[in-house]
Amino acid sequence: MTTRTSAPDTDGGTAAAEETVAILAAGTGRWLGLHAGRLDSPAGRAELPVTPRVKALLQLALLCRCWQKAAPDDNALEPVLAVVEHAWRRPDFPHLLAHSPDSARPFGLIWAALAPAGSVTDARRGVLDRLSADGYLTPRRKSPYLHLGTRFYAELAGLGHELAPYEELYACSMLARAEDVPVAELDVCQVTDTVFYLSDYGFRDTCLDAEDRERALRVVERLTEHCVREDAWEYAAKLLLAQHCLGSDPLRTPSGTAALGMLAGARSPDGSLPGKTARGQAPASAPPQQYFRWAYQPTLVTALTTLLLADRRPHPVPTTAPPTARRTR
């Protein structure tokens, strides 16, 4: 992205923040490379409930997609990507997606959209055909939040659909209405995911005009400040990334630098984040398998955020709304 709201770096603070980002990215990536394999191991399959384990693997696949785009030559990516590729080759994985009826269709769509190159071609096609045939790619009664996520992953999967344009979905979102809402009443995941879907995690410009972008950024910065006060580590990491995706430089905003400092202070010596919050972290006595369950998601979110913040390459900004902003069939 090329539009950044930032002040001149006069005291070396941004350089120190960039070093902190690099340390966090390296540590979280290394920890995931060493431990993410538990998700698809015999021990992990025995210890972890099916639906949370499948969701964790889908999150890992999303991380790998962004990692490949931001740092394709990073050797630390290889063991993490190997876990995803191994899981996607398992013939029983499509059946695990349907273990919970409520998540079967969104999980199936995400699984198909994030499939590593050349993997499970026939099974993937079958899942996509079923989603199209049962009308999942039409608006139906989807909430704006579910509608937006469905559009994002349908387009990643290369599917035609009848879903509303991004501008229309943003206008109906919690984020669009959030500026005057107390921060404690906002759903951080809905706010940040809306930004992530609109911007493809920062790899394209959002469809927002300048006024909407600034309004959304004020909401995100206010939420970041709130999460720093609450020592909410995982949410703060998501909000750092949302600031970046909205065209700001969180390494130069007060809320962003405070959140980054908090994450650096929360990091364990092995590079992981030991929990989602300061109050909800793993006890010192936790055995490795229990610690993994506490640390996995906040560590992955922090890895995603810091990997993308460390990607200082300019990303193209379209002169018009992205081509995905119109209905396709």
Side-chain angles (χ1 to χ4, degrees), residues 172-322:
C172 298
S173 71
M174 174 184 286
L175 177 56
R177 307 187 305 272
E179 191 169 25
D180 298 321
V181 177
V183 289
E185 297 178 13
L186 294 175
D187 185 317
V188 173
C189 291
Q190 283 204 32
V191 168
T192 55
D193 285 352
T194 296
V195 176
F196 299 155
Y197 297 150
L198 292 175
S199 68
D200 189 6
Y201 289 83
F203 290 106
R204 70 175 179 228
D205 188 39
T206 66
C207 61
L208 306 182
D209 61 25
E211 183 178 349
D212 282 339
R213 190 189 71 85
E214 290 300 327
R215 185 181 299 112
L217 187 56
R218 286 194 295 270
V219 171
V220 169
E221 289 183 340
R222 190 160 54 98
L223 263 177
T224 309
E225 293 167 357
H226 173 73
C227 289
V228 170
R229 290 193 298 269
E230 295 293 313
D231 280 326
W233 300 336
E234 181 183 334
Y235 283 168
K238 286 187 172 187
L239 289 158
L240 272 174
L241 181 53
Q243 288 191 30
H244 167 79
C245 294
L246 285 168
S248 180
D249 186 346
L251 306 190
R252 296 189 180 190
T253 65
S255 64
T257 54
L260 185 64
M262 181 180 68
L263 293 173
R267 183 178 67 100
S268 297
D270 64 2
S272 64
L273 273 289
K276 295 184 177 185
T277 68
R279 291 185 293 273
Q281 59 182 303
S285 60
Q289 66 272 22
Q290 183 182 354
Y291 183 83
F292 177 83
R293 296 179 71 168
W294 287 77
Y296 173 77
Q297 188 164 318
T299 302
L300 182 142
V301 170
T302 303
L304 175 63
T305 293
T306 52
L307 282 163
L308 295 182
L309 291 183
D311 177 19
R312 311 304 289 180
R313 298 171 301 167
H315 298 298
V317 179
T319 56
T320 60

Side-chain angles (χ1 to χ4, degrees), residues 18-42:
E18 289 177 354
E19 182 178 0
T20 300
V21 166
I23 291 169
L24 284 167
T28 51
R30 182 173 59 250
W31 188 88
L32 288 167
L34 290 171
H35 298 284
R38 177 179 289 273
L39 292 170
D40 196 38
S41 68

